[in-house]
Amino acid sequence: MMSESSQSFYKHVAQTSDEPIGLEIDRAEGSFIYTTDGKRYTDLISGIAVSSLGHRHPNVLKAIKGQLEKHLHVMVYGEFIQSPQSKFAHLLCEQLPTNLDRVYFVNSGTESVEGALKLAKKFTGRSKFVAFHNSYHGDTHGSLSVTGRNVYRDPYQPLLPNVYFSDFNSDAVFDLIDEETAAVIMEPIQGEGGIIPAEKKWLQKVRRRCDETGALLIFDEIQTGFYRTGSLFAFKYYDVVPDIICLAKAMAGGMPMGAFVSSSEIFEVFKKDPPLNHVTTFGGHPVSCAAAHASLKTLLSDDFAEKGMKIEKIVRSILKGDGIVEVRGRGAMLGLQLRDSVLTEKVVNRCFENGLILGWTLHSNSLIRIAPPLIIDENLLRSSLNSIIRAIADFS
Ligand code: PMP
């Protein structure tokens, strides 16, 4: 007998596929999600790279509760001085190079990409974008226009004109970047494309080509950010500083939030001709900002870079053998490439039955995403990985 909540979910909540996972959630804590039928699941994908500090981290809860006592929404973005926003912007910019000194707050990843694209167009006076096959930047029209997968784009054509796609890690991109290019947009490690890291030297060359042509470089660090890949942001590892960085997902410890960060010089264009030409009602919501501040403070108070790299080491040491092609990625943003999609589906389903939440990436059905909370207990991680190995052995 389906619960009322379940009936209503299937009847009234808009569905995104015919086969939703359909776990009925009771509560979540740390690395675990508990369902209403009394089962406990280990979350090995962190709600898709969101719960890096685990579910309901006490510092985040405390900050949220504190803000609830003060105020919720008071005014549209950019007009009133709200201390959770100012405090978080300050802490975030302190961690960034000097050219990333101004933050525009939004509510989601796709909104941050929309803002970044508009900012690049207005600052450069150009309209051409260069993006990459297999990329994922979000599902609103602008971000879908720079997303490199035709099955998702085709139903919504026409999208933005003047977007050119290159293979990732290919030198073909250098000819596409020219004096008409507003920006190159890329994920330093492609997430939904199947956890594909950029090559360091190539990425540095992309930066140089942008400098030569006056094109801006936008890094979409929505998935790679906040220690997911063994450094606070992936650009630190690559030693490449972008002109605009897009953030969301893990930013606010489980609250909805996004941001795009750039220089004061670039952001000047948003203030005039006309004023108020890029505004949002809820961007930088005080509760999300309070949560984000607590989350970042907590991340900075411990060695999360090392924790991420340790996760990678453990995953690589356990996930090998028959059926496994490779483990790709960096830190706690890893992909387990299996032989084929049939095996992958069987393994994911078996793990699910055994209380382990795994998943595919959007563009790849033969790869299992491994992105645990960074606070995951080492023994829990090892036993979870061993149950993946057992499932692979059962079906190989
Ligand atoms: N960019 C990247 C790299 C992402 O992984 C995602 C979400 N998977 C987005 C953008 C879109 O973020 P949101 O779902 O918050 O709009």
Side-chain angles (χ1 to χ4, degrees), residues 143-374:
S143 57
L144 185 60
S145 299
V146 290
T147 287
R149 187 93 193 284
N150 284 342
V151 281
Y152 295 115
R153 299 162 51 84
D154 289 347
Y156 302 102
Q157 295 287 4
L159 294 167
L160 273 183
N162 225 357
V163 179
Y164 293 81
F165 288 92
S166 161
D167 284 340
F168 201 54
N169 284 323
S170 159
D171 287 354
V173 72
F174 302 125
D175 288 334
L176 288 178
I177 307 170
D178 58 19
E179 277 73 14
E180 287 173 6
T181 308
V184 177
I185 180 162
M186 64 189 310
E187 302 151 87
I189 299 179
Q190 288 190 329
E192 301 309 317
I195 318 292
I196 301 169
E199 286 159 20
K200 207 171 193 173
K201 288 233 155 64
W202 175 79
L203 199 55
Q204 291 171 347
K205 263 175 102 172
V206 173
R207 172 72 274 182
R208 284 201 293 279
R209 185 70 190 134
C210 287
D211 290 340
E212 281 163 22
T213 55
L216 300 186
L217 180 59
I218 303 173
F219 273 6
D220 176 343
E221 293 234 27
I222 288 164
Q223 202 165 141
T224 51
F226 298 101
Y227 289 113
R228 177 59 41 201
T229 67
S231 51
L232 181 55
F233 299 108
F235 77 79
K236 295 201 170 185
Y237 163 73
Y238 282 101
D239 223 354
V240 166
V241 178
D243 300 294
I244 307 177
I245 180 168
C246 296
L247 303 172
K249 284 200 183 275
M251 185 173 210
M255 291 293 285
M257 184 153 179
F260 52 111
V261 187
S262 188
S263 67
S264 293
E265 184 202 350
I266 292 176
F267 265 121
E268 271 299 298
V269 297
F270 265 9
K271 283 167 41 185
K272 44 182 181 272
D273 306 324
L276 304 179
N277 73 91
H278 190 79
V279 294
T280 159
T281 300
F282 282 126
H285 192 279
V287 179
S288 293
C289 283
H293 183 266
S295 173
L296 183 53
K297 263 211 113 93
T298 308
L299 284 169
L300 295 170
S301 70
D302 203 342
D303 201 347
F304 279 95
E306 196 177 302
K307 285 189 203 310
M309 296 316 287
K310 183 138 192 225
I311 288 172
E312 177 178 352
K313 211 168 150 200
I314 294 171
V315 171
R316 287 189 186 279
S317 72
I318 296 179
L319 294 185
K320 48 190 181 193
D322 278 356
I324 295 177
V325 178
E326 65 171 338
V327 171
R328 284 199 294 274
R330 233 186 106 69
M333 181 172 169
L334 300 168
L336 170 64
Q337 179 68 54
L338 294 186
R339 199 179 52 216
D340 56 54
S341 60
V342 178
L343 176 63
T344 306
E345 188 173 352
K346 285 181 179 163
V347 170
V348 169
N349 289 340
R350 169 63 61 82
C351 287
F352 227 82
E353 286 160 22
N354 293 335
L356 189 58
I357 299 177
L358 296 171
W360 293 256
T361 65
L362 209 49
H363 304 338
S364 174
N365 59 6
S366 56
L367 177 117
I368 295 177
R369 190 196 298 270
I370 312 278
L374 303 174

